[in-house]
Amino acid sequence: MNEAVFSQVAMLVFLTGLIVWMGFIVWDLAKKSQAGKFGTIALFTVLGAGVVGFIVKTVLVEIMQI
C-alpha cells in the first residue's frame, strides 16, 4: 500500500467518523437546549447541507479531474 492509497482510505474513514461525531454533537446540543422537534430538524438540516456541499464538491472535482 503506497502513501496515496493510504491517504485516500484514511480520509474516507476519518471523514466519515467526523461527520458521525458532528451529528452526535448536534443531537446532544438539541437535546440539552430543549430545541424541540422543529429546532432539531433545523439543526440537522444545516449540518446536512454542509455535508452534502462537501460531497458535491468532491464529486465535481473527480468528474472535472482538477
Side-chain angles (χ1 to χ4, degrees):
M1 176 183 291
N2 61 13
E3 190 269 334
V5 174
F6 177 76
S7 294
Q8 186 100 14
V9 171
M11 187 174 119
L12 287 174
V13 170
F14 289 124
L15 192 61
T16 303
L18 180 64
I19 290 169
V20 170
W21 186 45
M22 287 189 321
F24 171 74
I25 290 171
V26 169
W27 175 77
D28 190 48
L29 177 68
K31 184 177 169 187
K32 286 183 180 178
S33 68
Q34 299 173 349
K37 191 179 282 189
F38 179 75
T40 303
I41 290 170
L43 287 168
F44 276 104
T45 300
V46 171
L47 175 66
V51 170
V52 168
F54 181 78
I55 292 171
V56 167
K57 179 196 71 99
T58 304
V59 169
L60 286 175
V61 166
E62 287 298 317
I63 289 173
M64 297 172 77
Q65 295 295 322
I66 295 177

